[in-house]
Amino acid sequence: MEIKVFKEIMDENLKLAEDNKKLFKDRKITAINVMASPGAGKTSTIMKLITMLSEKANFGVIEGDIASTIDAEKFEKIGIPVVQINTGGGCHLDANMIKGVMDDFDVKDDSIIFIENVGNLVCPSSFDLGENVKLVIASVPEGHDKPYKYTSMFEAADFVVLNKVDLAPFIDFDRDAFYKGIKALNPDAKVFEVSCKTGEGFTALVDYILEVHNQSKK
Amino acid sequence: MEIKVFKEIMDENLKLAEDNKKLFKDRKITAINVMASPGAGKTSTIMKLITMLSEKANFGVIEGDIASTIDAEKFEKIGIPVVQINTGGGCHLDANMIKGVMDDFDVKDDSIIFIENVGNLVCPSSFDLGENVKLVIASVPEGHDKPYKYTSMFEAADFVVLNKVDLAPFIDFDRDAFYKGIKALNPDAKVFEVSCKTGEGFTALVDYILEVHNQSKK
């Protein structure tokens, strides 16, 4: 009984994700589903990318949170089209929520939209949103064992960002173990090491985001 | 329909949590439900507490993870009774899982059991396990805004540990904002600032854990 209900929800989600995918394609929008633990640096990474790419692309941000508009306000302040989804307790975004906000979202065609999912390394990986790519952000202080514990998240990732590398000297983070875990689950996923604080590593990430946008418009 | 199914699950969970609560009381066990983001330091905090209290109390650990036995092995290595629950994708422990492992769990009466929940600041807060107290661990690198974004978790906490304070000099962490957020949601929750790495702050936390154990046996 429970399983049946769950399957219905997943089927319905996939159908709506297909609708979103079509909408994004028609409008030459690249949607990036950004997933991470609470506090890994989703908002900071998106903010840094938008700032660095502001003259090369248009942007929009869809903010997913249980509660609050703290992060959405940051993007509004710098003039980026942003819409907030408060899940009211829900642990992930779903395709229907994205569909619901796209109608009134004043984002330009040919934009890159960052969809900042609820901070959670579990549930968001199961729900396609119709995004072009899934980005998982890990951070050095969380520890190198995350790929081993949150396997479906790292399997789902199209690419991975390892943030807060500036803190590496103060933390016992085993880089080899981290990479080994990702390679075992997801051999093709690129990994970018960055620090939102110092800015290191962002040049390569910025180039990659532009490449993804150009590829997805083809 | 969905709501009805969800309500049935929650009612059933509460009933099983009551069974667990009775079992813990009969056996003079204090169960501490430890919840946090991935990588906040749940295992390290539990390990530190058990090491410091090893001559003053008996312990057991129930490890909840999506996958892997990485953390359970750490406790087994130092001779602590430990049992692993792999949720196989599930984002939280529930009362039935705890009930299921207690029968064969070789933990002594009059023990403190740490139940390490799945790393997640959302779902675990909704599921009582029959625990005596709920501990939420936050960490400095996650940022001071977590109480504002994951409100139900910080509302549910009986006490809060702020871990990784040794990293504070390298991070923009606004202590006042963090405490203000917790006070607004949960005025009575005690907060303990600690570092698993340097050991600072643990003396007060150890005393508090012993006090909780003594109170719960009354």
Side-chain angles (χ1 to χ4, degrees):
Chain A
M1 179 60 174
E2 271 173 51
I3 290 167
K4 181 153 171 275
V5 173
F6 189 65
K7 182 153 188 310
E8 279 167 16
I9 292 171
M10 298 311 278
D11 287 348
E12 178 69 9
N13 187 73
L14 273 179
K15 220 180 104 248
L16 293 165
E18 283 302 318
D19 294 346
N20 292 343
K21 196 181 280 292
K22 186 172 179 312
L23 174 78
F24 295 144
K25 196 172 175 62
D26 290 347
R27 295 188 53 189
K28 293 186 189 305
I29 285 170
T30 300
I32 303 177
N33 182 359
V34 184
M35 301 181 287
S37 299
K42 292 181 292 302
T43 312
S44 302
T45 301
I46 296 169
M47 185 64 83
K48 188 87 186 162
L49 289 170
I50 290 179
T51 311
M52 289 178 76
L53 282 166
S54 62
E55 294 184 3
K56 294 191 177 172
N58 299 313
F59 291 95
V61 177
I62 298 177
E63 272 296 330
D65 283 294
I66 304 283
S68 91
T69 55
I70 295 173
D71 292 337
E73 286 163 24
K74 293 176 191 162
F75 293 105
E76 194 167 47
K77 200 176 284 179
I78 61 163
I80 300 296
V82 61
V83 59
Q84 175 79 49
I85 300 175
N86 280 340
T87 63
C91 51
H92 60 87
L93 296 176
D94 64 33
N96 194 39
M97 296 174 189
I98 303 303
K99 194 177 158 90
V101 299
M102 281 307 295
D103 280 345
D104 295 325
F105 190 18
D106 60 343
V107 72
K108 289 180 186 153
D109 289 350
D110 191 15
S111 283
I112 298 170
I113 296 185
F114 290 101
I115 304 175
E116 186 176 336
N117 220 310
V118 176
N120 183 345
L121 276 189
V122 189
C123 319
S125 70
S126 304
F127 288 81
D128 277 334
L129 308 178
E131 71 281 284
N132 298 78
V133 286
K134 288 179 162 76
L135 162 60
V136 174
I137 302 180
S139 67
V140 167
E142 289 172 68
H144 52 259
D145 59 1
K146 293 301 146 299
Y148 300 87
K149 291 183 176 172
Y150 301 90
T151 49
S152 58
M153 185 56 80
F154 287 90
E155 272 169 355
D158 291 294
F159 62 116
V160 173
V161 164
L162 176 63
N163 189 21
K164 308 193 192 183
V165 292
D166 58 295
L167 294 176
F170 315 111
I171 290 168
D172 303 319
F173 184 88
D174 182 341
R175 263 195 179 75
D176 290 345
F178 180 77
Y179 278 96
K180 202 175 149 193
I182 291 179
K183 280 267 171 274
L185 294 164
N186 196 340
D188 298 327
K190 269 186 181 286
V191 182
F192 296 89
E193 298 192 14
V194 308
S195 162
C196 289
K197 191 167 184 188
T198 68
E200 68 191 279
F202 267 92
T203 311
L205 182 58
V206 156
D207 290 345
Y208 185 72
I209 298 281
L210 280 182
E211 190 190 313
V212 167
H213 186 43
N214 288 329
Q215 285 295 326
S216 75
K217 285 191 288 185
K218 278 182 186 165
Chain B
M1 178 59 175
E2 271 174 51
I3 289 166
K4 181 153 171 276
V5 173
F6 188 65
K7 183 156 187 309
E8 279 166 17
I9 293 171
M10 299 310 278
D11 287 349
E12 178 69 9
N13 187 71
L14 273 179
K15 219 179 106 252
L16 294 165
E18 283 303 315
D19 294 346
N20 292 342
K21 196 181 278 293
K22 185 172 179 313
L23 175 78
F24 295 144
K25 196 173 174 61
D26 290 347
R27 295 188 54 189
K28 294 188 189 304
I29 285 170
T30 300
I32 303 178
N33 182 0
V34 184
M35 301 181 286
S37 298
K42 292 181 291 303
T43 311
S44 303
T45 301
I46 295 169
M47 186 64 83
K48 188 88 186 162
L49 288 171
I50 289 180
T51 311
M52 289 178 75
L53 281 167
S54 62
E55 296 184 2
K56 294 192 176 171
N58 299 312
F59 291 95
V61 176
I62 299 176
E63 272 297 330
D65 282 295
I66 304 284
S68 93
T69 55
I70 295 173
D71 293 336
E73 287 163 23
K74 293 175 191 162
F75 293 106
E76 195 168 46
K77 200 176 284 180
I78 60 162
I80 300 297
V82 61
V83 59
Q84 176 79 50
I85 300 174
N86 280 340
T87 63
C91 51
H92 61 86
L93 296 177
D94 65 32
N96 194 39
M97 297 174 188
I98 303 303
K99 194 177 158 90
V101 299
M102 281 307 295
D103 281 344
D104 295 324
F105 190 18
D106 59 344
V107 73
K108 291 181 185 152
D109 289 350
D110 192 16
S111 283
I112 298 170
I113 296 185
F114 291 101
I115 305 173
E116 187 176 337
N117 221 310
V118 177
N120 182 344
L121 276 189
V122 189
C123 319
S125 70
S126 305
F127 287 81
D128 277 334
L129 308 177
E131 70 281 285
N132 297 78
V133 285
K134 288 180 162 78
L135 161 60
V136 174
I137 303 180
S139 66
V140 166
E142 290 172 69
H144 52 258
D145 58 1
K146 292 301 146 297
Y148 299 88
K149 290 183 176 173
Y150 302 90
T151 49
S152 58
M153 185 55 81
F154 286 90
E155 272 168 354
D158 291 295
F159 62 116
V160 174
V161 163
L162 176 63
N163 188 21
K164 309 192 191 183
V165 292
D166 58 295
L167 294 176
F170 315 111
I171 291 169
D172 303 318
F173 184 88
D174 182 341
R175 264 195 177 75
D176 290 345
F178 180 76
Y179 278 96
K180 203 175 148 192
I182 291 180
K183 280 265 171 276
L185 294 165
N186 195 340
D188 297 327
K190 268 185 179 288
V191 182
F192 296 89
E193 298 192 13
V194 308
S195 163
C196 290
K197 191 166 184 189
T198 68
E200 69 191 278
F202 268 92
T203 311
L205 182 58
V206 156
D207 291 345
Y208 185 73
I209 298 280
L210 280 183
E211 191 190 312
V212 167
H213 186 42
N214 287 329
Q215 285 295 326
S216 76
K217 287 191 287 183
K218 279 181 186 165

